[in-house]
Amino acid sequence: FADRVSFRWYDGAQDAVVEKKFRDSARDIRRAVNYFTQQVPDIRGKRICLWANNSYQYAINCYGVMLAGGVIVPMNQRKSWDELSYELGLVEPDAILTDGDDYGFNDQLKAAYGDILRPMDGFRSYEPAQLTRCIDHEALMVLMFTSGTTGRSKGVMLSEKNFFSVMRAHTQIGEHMMAYKHEPDLVMSQYTVLPMFHLGAFICLFSWPFKGWALNLCSDLRNFYRDLGLMHSDVMASAPMLVETVYNDYKRGRVERLNGLWDLCCSSAALDPKMLLELAQNGFVINQCYGMTETFGDGILNFTQTADHMSAVGKPDDHKPDDYVEYKLDETGEICIRGGCVMLGYYKDPEATAEVIDADGWFHTGDLARVDEDGYYYITGR
């Protein structure tokens, strides 16, 4: 897809939307590989933190670190300094990439880590590298932190195997979108407004290029309508707040503000099924996804557009269990998942890992559910 658009974003300095094609992105990724190989000696397995808002450079650096053999660590720079300093201390990074914005802790960050802070665009002056196979399929490739809502956040260790075990499920979503549109040649774009440290946005860095589709980047939620208005987007990965925003625009007769947005991929928390049904009955396509960071967001999906299953989180994929992933409810009704998607474990925390992954390899999600006669899962509690 060399000549298709890979990324778009609004550039304030130019007061215009900038586009990058896949051929240009590939070249910049190769530059980033060269940059990290030279800047971080013996980079294999070393942790590189990203401390920034959504941007083209963010995406390029994610690929660059991985392809150089390093470990990418997307960080939620909106957490408190107490939480962030704990996470940085746990990770022991060899470099921290920052966009230079002040998120409230610049002085503390410079005092503690000033010698390893690096600009997000450091790769630009480097020549493109020749790529060699640096990724161990089974080894740590990405370290993502949980939200920490029930105590200290945990570092979830994910491998290339985890990522690409679940890509079959994520590309199913695109196939269902196309089926609803009945336009086999449609080249779609996704509005990336969720921050890239959020799994729902991070996944899209990998799943959308499969089809040669573009990511339209929004760096700040405060610019939601401006950027959406400037860049037509077909799909949006949507946390509950964003779904409610779209619903309110629909109810108030302001759908034109959405600039043709027609598909909402919903995750993160339960949503009002009546709201989803009303959107589905009025021109929107609703995709619901159930998963966790520990399973790279895999893979109970709900493509129902009718009332009968709209309150379900979804139905497991149809792959053979030994080929991909298995789901079950244990004797307490807890959802358990086993397969290539299950994390390597919690970083430097074998005790917490043993609490959630049993001896048979089942990951215990902590979510209670029931399953109806059609195989749909309904969350009933924690």
Side-chain angles (χ1 to χ4, degrees):
F1 306 112
D3 291 316
R4 286 193 188 176
V5 173
S6 57
F7 293 94
R8 296 184 186 89
W9 69 93
Y10 172 75
D11 185 315
Q14 300 182 51
D15 190 25
V17 171
V18 175
E19 295 184 340
K20 284 281 186 177
K21 293 184 177 180
F22 277 100
R23 69 167 70 253
D24 303 315
S25 297
R27 189 178 301 111
D28 283 341
I29 288 168
R30 290 170 181 264
R31 287 191 175 105
V33 172
N34 193 9
Y35 171 73
F36 289 115
T37 301
Q38 294 192 39
Q39 286 289 315
V40 184
D42 302 316
I43 189 176
R44 181 183 285 275
K46 292 185 176 179
R47 280 79 59 205
I48 312 298
C49 293
L50 274 170
W51 180 291
N53 282 327
N54 290 357
S55 68
Y56 174 70
Q57 291 81 11
Y58 197 119
I60 296 302
N61 284 318
C62 284
Y63 275 98
V65 170
M66 292 175 185
L67 290 171
V71 177
I72 196 74
V73 188
M75 301 197 70
N76 179 358
Q77 72 275 21
R78 305 293 182 179
K79 290 182 178 180
S80 69
W81 175 248
D82 175 66
E83 292 173 295
L84 289 166
S85 59
Y86 166 77
E87 292 175 4
L88 288 168
L90 186 70
V91 168
E92 299 179 286
D94 283 87
I96 301 173
L97 308 182
T98 174
D99 56 14
D101 286 358
D102 187 352
Y103 298 104
F105 316 114
N106 272 12
D107 290 342
Q108 295 97 316
L109 187 65
K110 289 176 182 177
Y113 296 99
D115 57 336
I116 61 169
L117 297 182
R118 300 289 183 270
M120 292 290 289
D121 62 352
F123 62 85
R124 290 192 182 281
S125 61
Y126 283 71
E127 290 297 314
Q130 292 297 314
L131 298 187
T132 58
R133 177 70 184 178
C134 294
I135 302 174
D136 181 340
H137 189 56
E138 307 274 352
L140 176 62
M141 187 174 78
V142 174
L143 185 60
M144 298 196 83
F145 280 95
T146 60
S147 60
T149 53
T150 57
R152 283 292 192 191
S153 55
K154 299 182 181 68
V156 176
M157 297 190 292
L158 298 167
S159 67
E160 185 186 51
K161 178 181 178 180
N162 299 145
F163 271 42
F164 293 99
S165 290
V166 306
M167 277 301 149
R168 282 173 283 187
H170 294 306
T171 53
Q172 276 185 30
I173 298 173
E175 292 163 6
H176 278 266
M177 293 173 193
M178 298 295 284
Y180 284 114
K181 269 298 188 184
H182 304 292
E183 296 179 34
D185 297 324
L186 177 64
V187 178
M188 293 201 291
S189 55
Q190 194 236 34
Y191 192 44
T192 308
V193 64
L194 291 179
M196 288 185 185
F197 60 74
H198 186 293
L199 186 65
F202 194 77
I203 287 170
C204 297
L205 290 179
F206 304 89
S207 58
W208 278 70
F210 270 75
K211 295 284 189 180
W213 293 341
L215 296 178
N216 296 339
L217 305 176
C218 177
S219 64
D220 193 324
L221 191 59
R222 291 172 294 185
N223 297 324
F224 178 86
Y225 288 110
R226 182 200 71 187
D227 291 357
L228 186 59
L230 290 170
M231 301 179 290
H232 162 70
S233 302
D234 299 279
V235 185
M236 179 171 66
S238 307
M241 179 188 69
L242 295 174
V243 180
E244 291 166 8
T245 296
V246 171
Y247 179 72
N248 289 334
D249 281 328
Y250 154 71
K251 291 296 285 186
R252 295 167 183 167
R254 302 189 307 204
V255 175
E256 72 281 352
R257 300 177 78 190
L258 304 175
N259 193 17
L261 181 72
W262 57 271
D263 188 292
L264 302 177
C265 190
C266 310
S267 62
S268 302
L271 287 154
D272 179 359
K274 293 181 179 178
M275 176 179 67
L276 297 180
L277 181 61
E278 191 171 354
L279 287 169
Q281 291 172 337
N282 288 275
F284 292 90
V285 173
I286 305 297
N287 306 311
Q288 297 187 68
C289 311
Y290 169 83
M292 303 177 73
T293 305
E294 288 88 339
T295 61
F296 194 53
D298 183 85
I300 299 178
L301 306 172
N302 189 356
F303 301 111
T304 299
Q305 305 299 305
T306 55
D308 50 356
H309 296 301
M310 190 60 82
S311 60
V313 292
K315 188 176 183 178
D317 59 77
D318 296 325
H319 293 293
K320 294 183 296 181
D322 60 349
D323 177 45
Y324 176 33
V325 65
E326 298 173 82
Y327 303 87
K328 72 174 184 179
L329 297 185
D330 70 7
E331 63 278 2
T332 68
E334 182 180 11
I335 300 175
C336 300
I337 303 174
R338 181 169 68 178
C341 64
V342 174
M343 67 173 178
L344 302 174
Y346 292 121
Y347 192 61
K348 297 182 181 178
D349 199 340
E351 294 82 8
T353 301
E355 289 177 5
V356 296
I357 302 178
D358 66 26
D360 294 322
W362 287 100
F363 172 72
H364 293 254
T365 65
D367 288 319
L368 299 173
R370 66 176 178 86
V371 181
D372 70 11
E373 63 278 4
D374 296 319
Y376 282 86
Y377 279 59
Y378 297 79
I379 301 295
T380 59
R382 285 284 292 174

